[in-house]
Amino acid sequence: MTHLNFRGDAREALTFYQSVFGGDLVTVTYKEAGNVEDPSEADQVMWGQVAAGNGFRVMAYDVPSHTPWNQGENAFFLSLRGETAEEITEYWHKLSEDATVLQPLAPARWAPLYGMLKDRFGITWVVDVAGEYNAS
């Protein structure tokens, strides 16, 4: 399962991903866990997860201010593969809200549809429809 690290906006990110993929959102704050080191961070997410019936799962938390954190440039991509163009197109439209499109969603040599975007939280998504790779 992918675990995303944020600095103060994990709840907003998880809520957004739930709006895209559906499912259940669960969060535990530092206060709820009895693990408050900085009172200004008490209501931030110590552990959070979105789990959807379609198999989508992501975990996230807010890295405390006393711990080094750097969002990075290309530390990772999230890969989202679907079985149909309709499924992927729906996710693409939702994920692309306030996003930077790096590669528009379109047919590619290796997939019926492929696209790449950086969502409004700085997470890069590689989105495609699963297909047979044709090297010729």
Side-chain angles (χ1 to χ4, degrees), residues 7-134:
R7 180 77 89 190
D9 55 358
R11 182 182 313 279
E12 183 183 355
L14 287 167
T15 299
F16 173 67
Y17 298 137
Q18 181 191 33
S19 77
V20 173
F21 299 103
D24 298 315
L25 168 61
V26 179
T27 61
V28 176
T29 65
Y30 285 97
K31 180 172 49 182
E32 291 167 337
N35 191 22
V36 177
E37 293 188 34
D38 180 341
S40 70
E41 298 172 345
D43 292 323
Q44 290 185 357
V45 175
M46 187 180 101
W47 178 85
Q49 175 178 282
V50 171
N54 59 10
F56 179 80
R57 303 271 188 278
V58 68
M59 293 170 56
Y61 92 120
D62 288 308
V63 178
S65 60
H66 67 273
T67 303
W69 178 79
N70 182 330
Q71 186 179 24
E73 292 297 317
N74 291 315
F76 66 92
F77 296 153
L78 287 179
S79 176
L80 174 63
R81 305 195 90 195
E83 297 300 317
T84 67
E86 293 78 20
E87 174 188 17
I88 286 303
T89 300
E90 181 178 348
Y91 290 143
W92 177 266
H93 286 303
K94 291 178 181 179
L95 281 170
S96 63
E97 181 181 325
D98 298 325
T100 300
V101 174
L102 304 172
Q103 177 69 43
L105 187 65
R109 185 173 177 188
W110 60 89
L113 278 179
Y114 168 84
M116 180 186 284
L117 61 79
K118 185 176 283 196
D119 74 18
R120 64 185 184 204
F121 299 102
I123 306 302
T124 300
W125 293 79
V126 177
V127 178
D128 68 348
V129 175
E132 299 270 332
Y133 176 70
N134 183 357

